Amino acid sequence: MKTLFSIIIIIAAALLTASCIEDGYATSADAQPKFSTDTLKMGLSFTEQPTPTSRFTVHNRNNKILSISHIALRSGAESAFRINVDGSAGESFSDIEIRPNDSIYIFVEATLPATGSGEARAFTDHIDFLTNGVSSSVVVRADGCDVKRVKGYTVSSDEVWKPGMMYQVFDSLVVAPGATLTLDPGVTLCFHAGAYMKVDGTLIAEGTAEAPVEMRGDRTDNVLTDISFDLMASQWTGLAFGPESRGNRLRHANIRNTEYGIRAYEDAEVEFINCRLRNSASYVLTGSHAKLRIIGTEVAEAASGLLALIGGEAYVSQSTFANYYLFAAIRGAAIQLTHFSPDTADPESDRPFLKADFSNSIVYGLGTDLNAGDFEGTDIYFRNCVLKSTGEDDDHFISILWDTDPLYGTVREDYLFDYRLKPESAARTWADPALIPAEAVTDPYGEKRTTVAGAYEQPLPL
């Protein structure tokens, strides 16, 4: 009993001591908060609307409670920024306590004023801290630019959109039958969540290697510290070409971040030249009894597959099909062909069977490359292509480099998706120059084409 009593006394004393340490305050001038960053960089945002919320951490590295006497935005009520300290919003805070070896979050957002320019302008403020008589601060910075906002807009007659300010699209952007929307080099369309574009008339996107046309989601921040929203699908609904849509030409256009990708419906005619089409939660490009020309174009990263052709006509040359989608298991082959023979006919359609010609192109990535391999008696041909499949040449597969890794520059685990080829790639000598169409004499970077298969003549930089 005496021994047990002694043990109880020792334990009680230890608990009392720990309690005293825990409940005490660090009052020395050396006892200061530690910040996860000295400058919180919030990235690019559009003016006159709330930015995404950013945050940083305030640590107490001491063995006693740290009481921060005062936390405030230096510009006070005049600041474009707003803060939330450990769950409470306001302009200033007093006597914020952090327990020993613990931390709190400070959340920051802003509504940046208009600048009168589409060029990015930096806005800064300071969050000041006063602890044990010592001042410290964290800089907050957000870059803002003005945008032209478009909501539920219909192009009913011919329009030409110019660069300068980005266009932010809410709800919908529709090109009516008989109307043409021309996007000049450097035009950027940023689509808000749920927004879509429908073309019943004609879309001309006239980008260049130096100033491509961009169509993407409107999030400019990071999902996580090192993952940009630029990598994320499902930010906007997608782009559709209706049955009456003719004469569509997209040159040096980058289209990404969609939910269902790009869809061309019955009899629509669309030409893609030196484009980058990527990041879809469904398919990147679907043609349903449509007429497509895909030349010098990258088609990449999607959950369901990259290219789905249901009947219609497709001419594909000097293009790269690469699926290394990050955020879901890949559900289907990169290229999926249906309604090309009686055995694959669409039971709901009596339309003509698919005619498709693929030349000087690469189909490689995670998952399978093709959903079918026997094209006897069909109008489907692959010429001088690099495929992941193992096979043999025949009347429909002509001069094929089978089962060969093209050696992309992609490093998926580092979120790097670069489909230019390493110098030692066998695909760099596999294209037939006689099959290069006039529209693709240069690649998306402006390099003159020679014998390199796929979208990119320019090699991966060493």
Side-chain angles (χ1 to χ4, degrees):
M1 288 294 293
K2 187 175 181 180
T3 302
L4 179 60
F5 181 75
S6 299
I7 293 173
I8 292 172
I9 293 296
I10 293 170
I11 292 173
L15 290 174
L16 181 61
T17 301
S19 176
C20 291
I21 292 173
E22 184 175 296
D23 291 340
Y25 287 83
T27 57
S28 167
D30 293 334
Q32 293 296 313
K34 303 296 183 184
F35 307 116
S36 58
T37 183
D38 58 4
T39 301
L40 182 66
K41 297 177 181 178
M42 300 173 63
L44 178 67
S45 294
F46 302 144
T47 59
E48 299 186 297
Q49 66 187 52
T51 67
T53 301
S54 299
R55 72 181 189 188
F56 64 96
T57 309
V58 183
H59 298 277
N60 175 15
R61 304 296 192 195
N62 301 281
N63 292 323
K64 293 183 178 182
I65 296 171
L66 187 66
S67 180
I68 303 176
S69 304
H70 192 63
I71 302 175
L73 284 162
R74 188 174 296 178
S75 299
E78 301 300 317
S79 180
F81 297 86
R82 297 177 294 278
I83 59 175
N84 179 303
V85 176
D86 204 27
S88 297
E91 295 174 9
S92 64
F93 305 82
S94 299
D95 301 325
I96 300 299
E97 294 185 355
I98 309 178
R99 300 193 68 80
N101 298 301
D102 203 351
S103 61
I104 61 171
Y105 286 120
I106 294 186
F107 298 91
V108 185
E109 66 175 15
T111 300
L112 306 176
T115 66
S117 170
E119 298 294 324
R121 172 188 162 189
F123 293 84
T124 61
D125 202 344
H126 295 74
I127 302 176
D128 293 325
F129 298 79
L130 180 63
T131 310
N132 295 328
V134 177
S135 297
S136 56
S137 64
V138 170
V139 178
V140 289
R141 169 176 170 155
D143 296 329
C145 66
D146 291 358
V147 292
K148 296 179 181 179
R149 292 181 172 86
V150 176
K151 185 173 183 179
Y153 186 73
T154 297
V155 177
S156 55
S157 60
D158 293 355
E159 294 188 23
V160 179
W161 289 14
K162 301 288 186 180
M165 290 187 189
M166 292 183 279
Y167 295 80
Q168 187 179 23
V169 180
F170 295 86
D171 185 57
S172 60
L173 172 59
V174 176
V175 182
T180 297
L181 173 61
T182 300
L183 306 178
D184 277 356
V187 167
T188 297
L189 306 184
C190 300
F191 291 82
H192 196 63
Y196 67 91
M197 183 172 183
K198 175 75 181 298
V199 181
D200 291 315
T202 302
L203 175 64
I204 305 294
E206 284 292 354
T208 65
E210 297 76 22
V213 168
E214 302 279 350
M215 300 174 66
R216 59 173 177 81
D218 66 354
R219 293 294 299 267
T220 57
D221 54 321
N222 287 348
V223 186
L224 298 172
T225 303
D226 55 353
I227 302 178
S228 167
F229 264 101
D230 192 53
L231 297 174
M232 301 293 292
S234 295
Q235 292 188 50
W236 58 291
T237 306
L239 169 62
F241 294 90
E244 301 177 25
S245 186
R246 302 285 187 277
N248 299 287
R249 184 177 69 251
L250 288 79
R251 188 187 301 269
H252 289 283
N254 301 332
I255 305 174
R256 57 191 182 276
N257 314 129
T258 63
E259 180 181 352
Y260 68 63
I262 305 163
R263 295 183 178 183
Y265 293 98
E266 289 190 0
D267 298 320
E269 298 177 356
V270 191
E271 184 176 61
F272 301 92
I273 302 170
N274 286 348
C275 294
R276 291 187 70 195
L277 317 176
R278 60 186 179 91
N279 271 344
S280 170
S282 180
Y283 294 93
V284 174
L285 178 58
T286 302
S288 181
H289 304 288
K291 186 174 182 180
L292 303 178
R293 285 173 61 82
I294 306 167
I295 300 170
T297 290
E298 173 193 309
V299 184
E301 298 136 33
S304 296
L306 303 178
L307 174 65
L309 297 176
I310 307 164
E313 298 180 22
Y315 174 75
V316 182
S317 185
Q318 293 292 160
S319 293
T320 293
F321 297 86
N323 205 354
Y324 291 87
Y325 189 68
L326 267 175
F327 303 105
I330 296 170
R331 296 187 287 270
I335 295 178
Q336 300 173 30
L337 310 177
T338 54
H339 199 75
F340 60 83
S341 68
D343 292 339
T344 64
D346 178 356
E348 298 181 0
S349 176
D350 59 358
R351 302 288 299 247
F353 292 136
L354 172 66
K355 296 181 179 181
D357 190 292
F358 294 80
S359 63
N360 290 354
S361 295
I362 301 172
V363 191
Y364 197 92
L366 302 177
T368 56
D369 51 359
L370 306 175
N371 72 320
D374 184 3
F375 298 123
E376 185 177 355
T378 72
D379 283 321
I380 297 176
Y381 298 93
F382 288 81
R383 313 172 197 272
N384 290 81
C385 291
V386 180
L387 301 180
K388 184 177 182 180
S389 294
T390 299
E392 296 180 354
D393 286 4
D394 58 24
D395 291 341
H396 294 269
F397 291 92
I398 302 158
S399 191
I400 301 300
L401 188 58
W402 298 95
D403 188 21
T404 301
D405 186 341
L407 303 180
Y408 299 134
T410 294
V411 184
R412 188 168 179 260
E413 57 271 25
D414 292 340
Y415 314 117
L416 174 64
F417 299 91
D418 190 331
Y419 298 111
R420 288 175 290 180
L421 306 178
K422 296 179 181 177
E424 65 269 28
S425 170
R428 294 194 60 79
T429 58
W430 203 255
D432 181 353
L435 298 177
I436 299 174
E439 304 96 323
V441 293
T442 57
D443 79 348
Y445 288 92
E447 294 283 327
K448 183 176 175 59
R449 294 193 186 277
T450 55
T451 61
V452 182
Y456 300 109
E457 175 76 24
Q458 186 182 82
L460 184 74
L462 295 176

